[in-house]
Amino acid sequence: MIPGKYNMVCPQGSTFTLDLTYSVNDLPVDLTGYDARMQVREKHSSAEFVLNIETNTGHIFLNETPGSIRINIPFEMTALLVAKEYVYDLELHTPSNVSRIIEGKFIVTPEVTR
């Protein structure tokens, strides 16, 4: 399956919350048994990530409603990000399967009020 494209805009120093619905053929997918992970890097080829979040770190939530995914990055983490354009992807996984479901730019806008 080809991942969806979406550019996320994250305000530096603010809590970043994004609610997504993962659907196939317009039907929300049952995410029971799945975990999720997302990494942000300067470039696709970068060896190091600048942000790494997962369901088990409490920053991605797979809700009871089919297909419902919430990304929640606290302001303490976004404050550490340099304001610039990065790349990211979000994967769902089980012990036997990995699916990249969305990818794109992760744009951190600069904070003025500090």
Side-chain angles (χ1 to χ4, degrees):
M1 172 170 246
I2 298 172
K5 301 280 186 189
Y6 182 76
N7 294 331
M8 296 184 190
V9 178
C10 174
Q12 182 187 51
S14 295
T15 300
F16 176 78
T17 302
L18 180 66
D19 291 310
L20 306 166
T21 301
Y22 177 50
S23 300
V24 174
N25 298 324
D26 293 325
L27 297 172
V29 175
D30 180 3
L31 300 177
T32 303
Y34 281 87
D35 284 309
R37 60 186 175 218
M38 178 178 139
Q39 289 188 345
V40 176
R41 297 177 187 263
E42 285 196 41
K43 301 182 283 185
H44 289 88
S45 60
S46 297
E48 300 294 320
F49 55 78
V50 296
L51 184 66
N52 181 43
I53 60 173
E54 301 181 35
T55 46
N56 64 6
T57 62
H59 297 107
I60 303 176
F61 303 91
L62 304 180
N63 297 322
E64 293 179 13
T65 305
S68 180
I69 302 169
R70 172 170 277 190
I71 298 169
N72 186 56
I73 307 169
F75 67 90
E76 298 93 346
M77 290 175 74
T78 68
L80 299 175
L81 298 172
V82 174
K84 63 189 292 186
E85 188 174 291
Y86 301 93
V87 294
Y88 82 94
D89 63 20
L90 174 66
E91 297 178 337
L92 292 174
H93 61 95
T94 65
S96 61
N97 185 45
V98 176
S99 297
R100 182 170 12 133
I101 62 168
I102 191 170
E103 63 187 13
K105 295 176 184 175
F106 190 87
I107 302 161
V108 179
T109 58
E111 181 178 25
V112 176
T113 304
R114 295 184 272 283

